[in-house]
Amino acid sequence: MAIKMSDEEFTIFQKLIYDETGISLADGKKDLLISRLARRFIDLNVDSFSDYYEVVRNDEKEFMELVDRVSTHMTEFFREQPHFDFFEGRFIKEMEKRSLKTGRRKITAWSVACSTGEEPYSIAMSILENLAVPVNWEIKILASDISNGVLEQAKNGLYTDDRMKDIPKYLWNKYFLKGTGDNSGNYKVKDFLRNLMIFRRFNLLDSKWPIRGGFDAIFCRNVLIYFDKEMQVDVVRKLCHYLRDGGYLFLGHSETFVGGATGYQPIIPSVFKKPAA
Ligand SMILES: C[S@@+](CC[C@H](N)C(=O)[O-])C[C@H]1O[C@@H](n2cnc3c(N)ncnc32)[C@H](O)[C@@H]1O
């Protein structure tokens, strides 16, 4: 059965998705929406977009199914290497220096659109690999996303060897268990690495999030591109309240102008520092 969607119906879905998630679904994406929902319509025994609209309006879980189908979760370990070069070099050096001065041996970071977990696990591995004596430190990584589906995968921490290719080989055994039998070709994050994570479902559109701030670093990468300019600026301003003075904000390379527009100090391309008050 071919599903049909009128332009009016598409506009209603565009508005719903925009209002609830900030994601701007471009006008040319109507066919994409139809194709991504075709299978779902069969599963739910729904045959029109008006009926489906009623379902998603009344069922939060189904709304999230819809969001999962329109958003992209593309990610990879150690994505945007220059960020990790900076993080492993200057950032860690500053943390070590601060600990000598203040005695504080704690690093907190937040991956605000963590998708399936590659980003927060990369952050954690970078910290562990670059602190002189990591056992002396407390490390906490908040990993959040709007999608329960990707958060479940992130918590599970199971990756195919194809996903693992971006991790230097010498780290595989240290941080992952190699699957055998039915799980051969898969790698599972070791408990000690996963235990550094706190997973939460947060919508970046919410006016605030139920967490304490003071993060040393916030990674907000490759999610703002789906929002319009006004919303991008709004999110980056809100994040500022959760960063400690002198903390770093990492944006995606195509999102870099927002940092400058919101009073952060540019450090290297797409990395910004929150100035001291
Ligand atoms: C392309 S992935 C980025 C993953 C990772 N940050 C990276 O750079 O590789 C975008 C993620 O943003 C999430 N997302 C989209 N809208 C969101 C919102 N309003 N609040 C929180 N997360 C959102 C999606 O679910 C998706 O997992």
Side-chain angles (χ1 to χ4, degrees):
M1 174 196 59
I3 314 167
K4 293 212 170 61
M5 183 184 218
S6 66
D7 288 345
E8 290 71 31
E9 284 172 328
F10 182 60
T11 306
I12 289 171
F13 272 87
Q14 275 178 311
K15 181 168 168 16
L16 174 70
I17 292 163
Y18 177 80
D19 287 348
E20 300 293 329
T21 70
I23 298 171
S24 301
L25 207 56
D27 288 341
K29 294 276 171 75
K30 186 168 128 181
D31 287 343
L32 181 98
L33 184 62
I34 294 173
S35 70
R36 292 211 174 156
L37 285 171
R39 176 78 235 166
R40 194 71 195 146
F41 275 33
I42 295 169
D43 291 346
L44 294 173
N45 202 15
V46 162
D47 57 14
S48 77
F49 273 92
S50 332
D51 288 352
Y52 187 61
Y53 185 76
E54 285 312 309
V55 177
V56 291
R57 289 302 292 164
N58 295 305
D59 181 349
E60 165 80 16
K61 223 168 138 217
E62 188 53 37
F63 177 69
M64 288 318 305
E65 289 282 344
L66 168 66
V67 173
D68 272 349
R69 280 167 174 74
V70 297
S71 50
T72 157
H73 301 301
M74 213 290 277
T75 184
E76 52 198 45
F77 285 104
F78 296 101
R79 186 176 191 180
E80 301 192 19
Q81 189 58 45
H83 282 172
F84 285 94
D85 293 342
F86 176 85
F87 190 72
E88 294 174 0
R90 177 162 160 185
F91 174 80
I92 294 291
K93 234 180 245 152
E94 282 186 18
M95 294 294 103
E96 299 263 27
K97 229 165 130 188
R98 181 181 73 183
S99 83
L100 293 176
K101 230 165 114 184
T102 65
R104 179 183 157 91
R105 289 214 201 91
K106 182 173 181 180
I107 297 180
T108 55
W110 181 12
S111 163
V112 306
C114 70
S115 189
T116 41
E118 286 85 337
E119 182 174 83
Y121 288 126
S122 302
I123 296 169
M125 286 187 278
S126 283
I127 296 173
L128 291 173
E129 285 300 303
N130 290 282
L131 284 173
V133 190
V135 286
N136 289 344
W137 288 71
E138 184 186 347
I139 297 155
K140 274 289 156 225
I141 315 291
L142 173 63
S144 67
D145 199 283
I146 195 172
S147 160
N148 283 322
V150 291
L151 282 171
E152 274 314 307
Q153 290 182 56
K155 271 184 221 169
N156 209 10
L158 193 64
Y159 299 98
T160 58
D161 47 11
D162 182 49
R163 311 289 312 158
M164 298 287 290
K165 68 181 187 322
D166 302 305
I167 306 175
K169 256 284 168 35
Y170 69 93
L171 299 179
W172 289 26
N173 279 343
K174 196 165 172 186
Y175 294 105
F176 295 84
L177 291 167
K178 190 173 180 191
T180 53
D182 285 352
N183 265 320
S184 101
N186 287 332
Y187 290 78
K188 194 160 174 71
V189 168
K190 288 189 179 174
D191 284 348
F192 79 90
L193 186 63
R194 197 189 9 255
N195 290 343
L196 306 181
M197 308 284 148
I198 300 165
F199 294 100
R200 290 277 181 283
R201 181 179 172 256
F202 291 151
N203 186 343
L204 284 173
L205 255 57
D206 290 346
S207 55
K208 53 184 191 229
W209 303 283
I211 43 166
R212 239 181 288 143
F215 287 97
D216 296 306
I218 295 181
F219 286 68
C220 178
R221 306 187 310 159
N222 306 301
V223 59
L224 297 176
I225 28 166
Y226 305 109
F227 302 166
D228 62 24
K229 295 264 153 60
E230 199 183 319
M231 217 166 260
Q232 294 180 344
V233 169
D234 185 52
V235 169
V236 168
R237 285 215 173 103
K238 276 187 295 190
L239 288 176
C240 195
H241 299 299
Y242 294 82
L243 204 54
R244 69 164 170 80
D245 289 349
Y248 291 97
L249 174 71
F250 295 76
L251 298 176
H253 271 109
S254 43
E255 303 158 331
T256 195
F257 75 94
V258 206
T262 45
Y264 290 82
Q265 180 191 350
I267 301 297
I268 60 163
S270 65
V271 178
F272 298 85
K273 190 174 181 131
K274 177 177 171 178

